[in-house]
């Protein structure tokens, strides 16, 4: 066999195994896994010696916001499909699932999907898919849910908060019922929007408008309550599978764990901000407007919550660690976070700060640096929560998230060797994250100055090296990234269980 690319002498890590293996790649696919060193002399167009390094399936980040116009009526998110996916590959992520946002004023989901395709097509460095973001659950949108799977979209997101997007319980129920019928996974942003509007008004009346009060306006109880309500509504609609996104706190985590223990198909993700940032240090601590750099929803919580989120990641309550990359510039006077600074409010007004922080590029290195906190088999767990489970839950597996010869795309991330003796390159002991080394189009990172232990040495997408840290950095091409049509979820056979249960029937309640 003549290979296009061979990776020799590396240690391969999947969600289930760690083994020294060589990888032979033909075209876009993994063709062969072979004993370590056995392909060192194979006939190949390119050979990469990964001695002392780890080779993993490329990262799959299923929660990124790119180029969303008019986010919550507060301007466009900072990264385009081009800059956001460029940032992804530089951080070892080869597939992102972004959002196709339907505005409240727009009746059609399919029109929103077409618009998102128009922005992404020809502009991506990584492969990509879409979730529909349902901002208007009117009759047309509900009818169009049935058309999503044939367009390769098998998930949608709804909101229990944000004035511009919040759905009432009856709309949520209608979406859940329609999604269930069509094997579409419903992702839910669970915070009680009415309570936080009420709290925001009260804080404002007392002059508490600085960025740090963002946390006061959405305490953990709002997330706990909404999570509980979401789980109850899903249970009512004949156990419709749901996914709680960006879970930040112990209370919500407990609700999810309890539902899972009862056997309800409830899935959850958490994000780096809830593992690595805290309210004390990043919202209450900084002076003046600086805290705006950590305004996201839910906000970073206290140390006890952070510990509970780590436990949930270890014990499987959270299937995934996704970034919720949703950047706004700090210094841009038109659409950035600083846009909310006025003469009357020199420290800004938290009500007007767009919610979200960047993180698609730092997700894997931050997680890698913390692997000792993951599990007894931390490297397999790292792959599971940053790649494989997302691929399974969102219908990308085993094309993505795996190293299966003949089936999996040759999407790989090669980490720098742990030992300095390795010949391919030096170690990265002491590497510090700074915004200047990142590839997003955002003027800050919330992780400025944080140390990490490793960084992707190479990222490969469908057989092509697209990131070469010791070489020219980004070596992939804009437009090489493809839209990936997704199947229905395969994690834990969720749709098989729904089929066995039969259709939702209110008469049976
Ligand atoms: O603050 C956040 N999380 N912004 C992104 C939008 C969302 O709710 O996921
Ligand atoms: Zn209603
Ligand atoms: Zn959200
Ligand atoms: Zn988000």
């Amino acid at each position: 066999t003549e290979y296009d690319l061979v990776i020799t002498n590396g240690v391969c890590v999947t969600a289930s195994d760690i083994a020294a293996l060589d990888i032979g790649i033909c075209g876009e696919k993994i063709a062969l896994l072979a004993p370590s060193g056995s392909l060192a002399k194979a006939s190949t167009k390119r050979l990469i010696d990964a001695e002392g390094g780890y080779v993993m399936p490329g990262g799959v980040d299923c929660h990124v916001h790119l180029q969303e116009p008019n986010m919550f009526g507060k301007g466009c998110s900072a990264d385009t499909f081009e800059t956001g996916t460029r940032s992804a590959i530089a951080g070892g992520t080869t597939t992102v699932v972004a959002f196709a946002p339907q505005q409240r004023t727009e009746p059609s989901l399919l029109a929103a999907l077409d618009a998102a395709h128009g922005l992404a097509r020809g502009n991506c460095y990584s492969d990509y898919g879409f979730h529909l973001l349902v901002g208007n659950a009117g009759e047309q949108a509900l009818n169009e849910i049935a058309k999503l799977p044939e367009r390769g979209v098998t998930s949608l997101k709804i909101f229990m908060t944000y004035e511009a997007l919040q759905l009432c319980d009856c709309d949520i129920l209608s979406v859940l019922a329609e999604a269930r019928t069509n094997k579409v996974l419903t992702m839910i942003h669970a915070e009680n929007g009415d309570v936080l509007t009420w709290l925001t008004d009260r804080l404002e009346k007392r002059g508490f408008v600085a960025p740090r009060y963002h946390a006061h306006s959405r305490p953990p109880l709002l997330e706990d309550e909404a999570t509980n309500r979401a789980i109850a509504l899903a249970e009512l609609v004949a156990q419709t599978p749901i996914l709680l996104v960006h879970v930040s706190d112990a209370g919500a985590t407990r609700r999810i764990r309890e539902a899972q223990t009862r056997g309800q198909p409830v899935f959850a993700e958490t994000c780096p901000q809830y593992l690595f940032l805290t309210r004390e240090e990043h919202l209450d601590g900084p002076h003046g407007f600086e805290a705006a750099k950590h305004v996201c929803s839910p906000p970073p919580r206290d140390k006890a919550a952070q510990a509970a989120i780590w436990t949930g990641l270890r014990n499987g309550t959270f299937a995934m660690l996704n970034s919720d990359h949703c950047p706004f510039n700090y210094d841009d006077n038109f659409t950035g976070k600083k846009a909310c600074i006025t003469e009357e409010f020199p420290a800004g007004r938290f009500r007007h700060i767009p919610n979200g922080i960047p993180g698609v590029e730092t997700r894997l290195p931050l997680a890698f640096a913390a692997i000792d906190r993951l599990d007894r088999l931390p490297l397999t767990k790292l792959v599971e929560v940053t790649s494989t489970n997302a691929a399974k839950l969102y219908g990308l597996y085993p094309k993505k998230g795996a190293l299966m010869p003949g089936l999996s795309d040759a999407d790989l991330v090669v980490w720098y060797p742990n030992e300095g003796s390795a010949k391919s390159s030096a170690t990265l002991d002491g590497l510090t994250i700074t915004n200047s080394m990142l590839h997003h189009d955002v003027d800050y990172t919330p992780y400025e100055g944080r140390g990490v232990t490793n960084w992707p040495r190479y990222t490969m997408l469908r057989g092509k090296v697209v990131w070469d840290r010791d070489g020219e950095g980004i070596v992939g091409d804009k437009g090489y990234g493809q839209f990936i049509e997704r199947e229905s979820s395969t994690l834990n056979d969720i749709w098989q269980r729904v089929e066995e249960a039969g259709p939702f029937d209110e008469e049976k309640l």
Side-chain angles (χ1 to χ4, degrees), residues 14 50 67 73 123 143 252 277 316 361 366 432 471 487-488:
T14 66
Q67 219 167 341
N123 289 322
N143 286 333
L277 303 176
E361 188 168 346
L366 284 170
T432 300
E487 308 285 326
S488 288

mmCIF file of all heavy atoms in Angstrom, residues 14 50 67 73 123 143 252 277 316 361 366 432 471 487-488:
data_model
loop_
_atom_site.group_PDB
_atom_site.id
_atom_site.type_symbol
_atom_site.label_atom_id
_atom_site.label_comp_id
_atom_site.label_asym_id
_atom_site.label_seq_id
_atom_site.Cartn_x
_atom_site.Cartn_y
_atom_site.Cartn_z
ATOM 1 N N THR A 14 -7.742 6.833 22.473
ATOM 2 C CA THR A 14 -9.151 7.022 22.112
ATOM 3 C C THR A 14 -9.948 7.111 23.412
ATOM 4 O O THR A 14 -9.370 7.092 24.504
ATOM 5 C CB THR A 14 -9.687 5.856 21.262
ATOM 6 O OG1 THR A 14 -9.701 4.681 22.077
ATOM 7 C CG2 THR A 14 -8.853 5.645 20.017
ATOM 8 N N ALA A 50 6.103 10.745 15.658
ATOM 9 C CA ALA A 50 5.443 11.305 16.848
ATOM 10 C C ALA A 50 5.991 10.690 18.124
ATOM 11 O O ALA A 50 5.297 10.583 19.127
ATOM 12 C CB ALA A 50 3.937 11.089 16.754
ATOM 13 N N GLN A 67 -20.354 34.233 14.013
ATOM 14 C CA GLN A 67 -20.985 35.157 13.057
ATOM 15 C C GLN A 67 -22.506 35.173 13.194
ATOM 16 O O GLN A 67 -23.219 35.185 12.195
ATOM 17 C CB GLN A 67 -20.602 34.721 11.628
ATOM 18 C CG GLN A 67 -20.323 35.859 10.696
ATOM 19 C CD GLN A 67 -19.642 35.390 9.419
ATOM 20 O OE1 GLN A 67 -19.064 34.303 9.359
ATOM 21 N NE2 GLN A 67 -19.689 36.210 8.381
ATOM 22 N N GLY A 73 -30.155 40.805 20.299
ATOM 23 C CA GLY A 73 -30.342 42.215 20.000
ATOM 24 C C GLY A 73 -29.156 43.079 20.404
ATOM 25 O O GLY A 73 -29.267 44.289 20.542
ATOM 26 N N ASN A 123 -15.718 29.190 3.721
ATOM 27 C CA ASN A 123 -14.956 30.042 4.639
ATOM 28 C C ASN A 123 -14.327 29.312 5.815
ATOM 29 O O ASN A 123 -13.658 29.943 6.641
ATOM 30 C CB ASN A 123 -15.879 31.139 5.194
ATOM 31 C CG ASN A 123 -16.227 32.164 4.129
ATOM 32 O OD1 ASN A 123 -15.377 32.515 3.314
ATOM 33 N ND2 ASN A 123 -17.466 32.612 4.120
ATOM 34 N N ASN A 143 -43.513 23.064 12.115
ATOM 35 C CA ASN A 143 -43.650 22.171 10.962
ATOM 36 C C ASN A 143 -42.305 21.873 10.313
ATOM 37 O O ASN A 143 -42.086 20.781 9.793
ATOM 38 C CB ASN A 143 -44.594 22.786 9.920
ATOM 39 C CG ASN A 143 -46.042 22.718 10.369
ATOM 40 O OD1 ASN A 143 -46.407 21.835 11.135
ATOM 41 N ND2 ASN A 143 -46.853 23.666 9.922
ATOM 42 N N ALA A 252 -28.052 22.405 39.698
ATOM 43 C CA ALA A 252 -28.470 21.890 38.391
ATOM 44 C C ALA A 252 -27.838 20.521 38.133
ATOM 45 O O ALA A 252 -28.492 19.613 37.601
ATOM 46 C CB ALA A 252 -28.080 22.880 37.293
ATOM 47 N N LEU A 277 -12.731 29.171 35.854
ATOM 48 C CA LEU A 277 -12.954 30.542 36.329
ATOM 49 C C LEU A 277 -13.871 30.481 37.555
ATOM 50 O O LEU A 277 -14.662 29.559 37.695
ATOM 51 C CB LEU A 277 -13.628 31.390 35.243
ATOM 52 C CG LEU A 277 -12.927 31.501 33.879
ATOM 53 C CD1 LEU A 277 -13.790 32.293 32.900
ATOM 54 C CD2 LEU A 277 -11.554 32.147 34.012
ATOM 55 N N GLY A 316 -19.378 11.256 34.861
ATOM 56 C CA GLY A 316 -20.201 10.999 33.680
ATOM 57 C C GLY A 316 -21.521 11.754 33.647
ATOM 58 O O GLY A 316 -22.280 11.616 32.695
ATOM 59 N N GLU A 361 -10.254 27.799 21.091
ATOM 60 C CA GLU A 361 -8.845 27.413 20.894
ATOM 61 C C GLU A 361 -8.191 26.929 22.190
ATOM 62 O O GLU A 361 -7.280 26.100 22.163
ATOM 63 C CB GLU A 361 -8.066 28.614 20.318
ATOM 64 C CG GLU A 361 -6.652 28.297 19.892
ATOM 65 C CD GLU A 361 -6.025 29.429 19.077
ATOM 66 O OE1 GLU A 361 -6.763 30.332 18.620
ATOM 67 O OE2 GLU A 361 -4.788 29.409 18.902
ATOM 68 N N LEU A 366 -6.372 23.682 27.909
ATOM 69 C CA LEU A 366 -6.750 23.834 29.320
ATOM 70 C C LEU A 366 -7.131 22.484 29.916
ATOM 71 O O LEU A 366 -6.734 22.149 31.038
ATOM 72 C CB LEU A 366 -7.938 24.797 29.457
ATOM 73 C CG LEU A 366 -7.656 26.297 29.320
ATOM 74 C CD1 LEU A 366 -8.969 27.076 29.242
ATOM 75 C CD2 LEU A 366 -6.790 26.811 30.461
ATOM 76 N N THR A 432 2.586 29.798 28.536
ATOM 77 C CA THR A 432 1.578 30.663 29.126
ATOM 78 C C THR A 432 0.648 31.167 28.036
ATOM 79 O O THR A 432 1.100 31.628 26.993
ATOM 80 C CB THR A 432 2.274 31.861 29.810
ATOM 81 O OG1 THR A 432 3.145 31.352 30.807
ATOM 82 C CG2 THR A 432 1.256 32.800 30.448
ATOM 83 N N GLY A 471 6.117 24.762 12.690
ATOM 84 C CA GLY A 471 6.319 25.274 11.336
ATOM 85 C C GLY A 471 5.653 26.634 11.192
ATOM 86 O O GLY A 471 5.866 27.534 11.992
ATOM 87 N N GLU A 487 -26.248 12.468 11.418
ATOM 88 C CA GLU A 487 -27.318 11.492 11.638
ATOM 89 C C GLU A 487 -27.953 11.788 12.993
ATOM 90 O O GLU A 487 -27.470 12.624 13.738
ATOM 91 C CB GLU A 487 -26.727 10.070 11.672
ATOM 92 C CG GLU A 487 -25.863 9.705 10.493
ATOM 93 C CD GLU A 487 -26.678 9.431 9.241
ATOM 94 O OE1 GLU A 487 -27.791 8.908 9.375
ATOM 95 O OE2 GLU A 487 -26.198 9.769 8.141
ATOM 96 N N SER A 488 -28.995 11.046 13.333
ATOM 97 C CA SER A 488 -29.549 11.167 14.677
ATOM 98 C C SER A 488 -28.558 10.606 15.689
ATOM 99 O O SER A 488 -27.688 9.803 15.362
ATOM 100 C CB SER A 488 -30.883 10.435 14.772
ATOM 101 O OG SER A 488 -31.856 11.159 14.059
#
